Amino acid sequence: MLISLKEVIDHQGNLLESQKEWLINLAEKYRLKNVDHNKLEELLIRVDEIPVSMALAQAAEETGWGRSHAARIKNATHGVTLPSGVKAYESLAISVKAYMRNLNANPAYEKMRKIRHNLRSQDKDLCGVQMMDGLYYYSELHHTYIKKVKRHIEHHKLDRFDDAQLRDVSVLSS
């Protein structure tokens, strides 16, 4: 829908009030204010996919391959912590959705989004190994964490899942 709205703006210039409201709400979710045509490009860069290989490898690293208390009891797949401890989620799908929004909205991961945008600009497939280079601030272990996650992707050939799709993507897209 976002791409459709951009096309409307590019060709006609005017959106319906309901479309403007939807766009403003989406921009707020992705931490952008005062959405105009220039910010629409930034929003398109933020509202994009995370390679399955990267999400799987990070979840494996963060949860000890699903064995951690946080993963089993709190549905916490990607190590989001609060001052009170690991954040609990209602479901695994909601945990993954929060992970994706975090990567796509948090200023700390702008480099990852630039890597992804460059891959898109060159009409290349998204690459979790390359995109991990933009997640220096994801863990206090910085480069050590990035190397571990990259090793998971490569050793377990997780990139073979990058084309996988959920049957019900509505749970992640809202």
Side-chain angles (χ1 to χ4, degrees):
M1 176 143 172
L2 181 57
I3 293 170
S4 301
L5 292 182
K6 184 184 180 320
E7 288 172 3
V8 168
I9 292 170
D10 287 347
H11 293 59
Q12 300 168 358
N14 296 322
L15 296 177
L16 301 172
E17 284 305 313
S18 60
Q19 292 170 321
K20 288 178 187 175
E21 188 176 316
W22 182 86
L23 195 55
I24 289 167
N25 287 335
L26 185 65
E28 286 175 3
K29 283 183 183 179
Y30 287 88
R31 298 184 185 174
L32 282 177
K33 294 183 175 134
N34 305 323
V35 179
D36 59 17
H37 190 267
N38 296 330
K39 294 265 181 142
L40 195 55
E41 288 296 326
E42 176 62 24
L43 188 56
L44 279 165
I45 290 170
R46 290 183 185 213
V47 181
D48 201 347
E49 298 172 53
I50 303 298
V52 173
S53 57
M54 191 168 111
L56 287 172
Q58 284 191 271
E61 181 62 27
E62 294 293 335
T63 67
W65 292 91
R67 292 184 301 243
S68 73
H69 172 81
R72 290 182 295 107
I73 306 302
K74 296 184 175 189
N75 292 316
T77 56
H78 289 90
V80 176
T81 56
L82 303 169
S84 59
V86 176
K87 182 173 169 100
Y89 295 92
E90 205 173 299
S91 69
L92 291 172
I94 292 171
S95 178
V96 172
K97 180 179 175 180
Y99 158 77
M100 291 169 53
R101 181 152 312 133
N102 182 34
L103 292 185
N104 283 327
N106 193 318
Y109 311 129
E110 182 177 357
K111 184 177 177 187
M112 183 274 308
R113 294 189 295 273
K114 284 183 180 179
I115 293 167
R116 179 178 61 196
H117 180 67
N118 288 337
L119 290 169
R120 293 266 192 230
S121 301
Q122 298 168 29
D123 203 27
K124 293 183 178 177
D125 291 335
L126 297 185
C127 175
V129 170
Q130 284 181 272
M131 288 172 58
M132 279 305 302
D133 287 331
L135 296 184
Y136 179 82
Y137 296 107
Y138 195 88
S139 165
E140 59 191 24
L141 299 176
H142 306 299
H143 289 298
T144 302
Y145 176 80
I146 289 170
K147 286 177 188 174
K148 280 182 176 181
V149 174
K150 285 180 170 187
R151 271 196 304 264
H152 289 318
I153 293 170
E154 292 167 342
H155 179 76
H156 299 287
K157 298 177 176 59
L158 295 177
D159 58 342
R160 69 181 182 229
F161 299 111
D162 281 344
D163 292 328
Q165 297 280 322
L166 293 174
R167 286 191 185 166
D168 181 11
V169 294
S170 64
V171 72
L172 294 178
S173 61
S174 61

